[in-house]
Amino acid sequence: MAPSSDGGKRLDTHLNKRKESDLMLNGAFVQSLENHYRRDLSEQPLEWTVSPALHHKITEDGRMQAFYGATTVLKLNEEDKLKCRAVGERLFEGLSLPLVTILPETYHLTVHALSNPYNVPGGTTELVLADIARREETVAVLFRNVREMYGGEKIRMRALGPSTNGKDVVSLKFVPSQDRDAKLLCDLFQRLESLLPLQKPYVPHVSLAYFLPRPYNAGQIAALYNRLRELDSDAFRFELTLDVMEMAYQLHSHMNDFRDIFTVGSVGLHP
């Protein structure tokens, strides 16, 4: 039986309302990221204290600690790595502030962290590695599903600028360029959140450097914020073009050592 014209109109109305709702949600996501970035720049603290958890990643004398885990990232092409590197070099140029820089060759935009000492109960290397092994095939299935739905898609991200991202790390913040980009990125995040719920707001970023787990004085922080605000300019803004087929499942042994296990494009293609 053919649907009635009234039924078709109701369906069209429902789909239009759903589209409007998606637009509102995606618009709210972008607005919240922009607001978060503005707060980062405006709320300069008088005292600076890194989180106790940073000791798991960085030593007080600036060395990378062993930090085993798994993560999912959108990989940057070489051109986009150079764009991020240029901002990082200007940010740290002549800045008398002890930081541990991230190697540009490892630059990536995190989609969702998975097993690591922060979110595996007990947090030992043995427990983390066991959790990684337990989840890997589930992640592979998710990646294959992503390839079926989004293979060949690109996500474009617009740079806002660098900020301090919760006092432990200096990172470049990004927002989706268009509604389609926001919808796709949020769907990837939610799929991974369903595997390991972290229940934290998603803030797309590319990490540039870690602080050391020790106090910083007011003069050092003032110099950092002056430089951050200097880079809050259209002259330092650009777009990233991220290939969904290059979304990678990576393992890390510390924060300068990320290694691909598979990508959306490669998962399941080899025995």
Side-chain angles (χ1 to χ4, degrees):
M1 181 181 293
S4 69
S5 59
D6 286 346
K9 288 178 182 177
R10 287 196 298 271
L11 178 59
D12 288 343
T13 300
H14 171 74
L15 291 175
N16 287 336
K17 286 182 177 179
R18 182 174 177 179
K19 185 175 181 180
E20 290 172 4
S21 175
D22 287 345
L23 286 169
M24 290 175 65
L25 286 173
N26 294 335
F29 174 58
V30 171
Q31 188 62 58
S32 70
L33 294 174
E34 292 176 342
N35 292 343
H36 186 277
Y37 169 69
R38 291 287 154 211
R39 284 196 303 272
D40 277 351
L41 290 186
S42 64
E43 296 178 358
Q44 179 178 330
L46 295 176
E47 297 182 359
W48 193 269
T49 305
V50 300
S51 72
L54 186 59
H55 288 271
H56 290 291
K57 294 181 177 179
I58 307 293
T59 66
E60 288 190 12
D61 60 356
R63 291 176 291 108
M64 292 285 184
Q65 294 268 42
F67 190 82
Y68 288 89
T71 189
T72 53
V73 310
L74 284 161
K75 297 168 67 174
L76 275 60
N77 61 38
E78 293 305 314
E79 180 182 353
D80 287 344
K81 285 180 183 177
L82 287 174
K83 295 174 186 176
C84 294
R85 181 174 185 170
V87 175
E89 288 176 347
R90 177 64 193 118
L91 174 61
F92 304 129
E93 183 182 359
L95 193 65
S96 180
L97 190 73
L99 295 165
V100 181
T101 55
I102 304 297
L103 295 175
E105 54 264 36
T106 72
Y107 283 172
H108 58 259
L109 189 137
T110 302
V111 181
H112 196 288
L114 294 172
S115 312
N116 65 48
Y118 289 171
N119 53 43
V120 172
T124 65
T125 297
E126 292 76 15
L127 290 171
V128 169
L129 293 177
D131 200 64
I132 289 171
R134 181 174 66 84
R135 295 178 186 276
E136 187 167 303
E137 180 53 32
T138 304
V139 178
V141 170
L142 186 150
F143 270 46
R144 286 192 286 270
N145 290 339
V146 167
R147 183 171 64 212
E148 291 174 6
M149 180 166 287
Y150 296 126
E153 294 267 12
K154 302 290 194 298
I155 301 175
R156 289 173 175 80
M157 302 292 290
R158 173 170 54 88
L160 296 174
S163 66
T164 56
N165 198 37
K167 299 186 179 182
D168 286 357
V169 63
V170 181
S171 60
L172 264 170
K173 301 302 193 300
F174 291 87
V175 295
S177 295
Q178 302 291 334
D179 179 71
R180 172 66 178 170
D181 304 307
K183 183 177 180 180
L184 207 167
L185 182 65
C186 288
D187 187 52
L188 295 178
F189 173 80
Q190 290 299 335
R191 287 166 183 260
L192 288 154
E193 176 75 355
S194 71
L195 296 188
L196 200 163
L198 300 181
Q199 299 178 341
K200 296 178 180 179
Y202 178 41
V203 180
H205 66 275
V206 172
S207 296
L208 299 176
Y210 282 95
F211 289 87
L212 274 61
R214 67 188 202 196
Y216 288 79
N217 63 47
Q220 290 172 318
I221 298 309
L224 172 62
Y225 270 74
N226 287 339
R227 183 63 55 81
L228 290 172
R229 290 166 184 149
E230 175 190 324
L231 295 175
D232 181 27
S233 162
D234 287 344
F236 298 100
R237 294 197 173 102
F238 55 89
E239 268 199 345
L240 302 178
T241 301
L242 305 167
D243 188 342
V244 173
M245 295 289 274
E246 288 296 307
M247 185 169 83
Y249 174 67
Q250 296 183 332
L251 299 187
H252 52 81
S253 61
H254 56 73
M255 292 296 96
N256 260 333
D257 177 45
F258 290 81
R259 305 183 186 190
D260 290 1
I261 303 304
F262 49 74
T263 66
V264 167
S266 71
V267 65
L269 298 182
H270 306 289

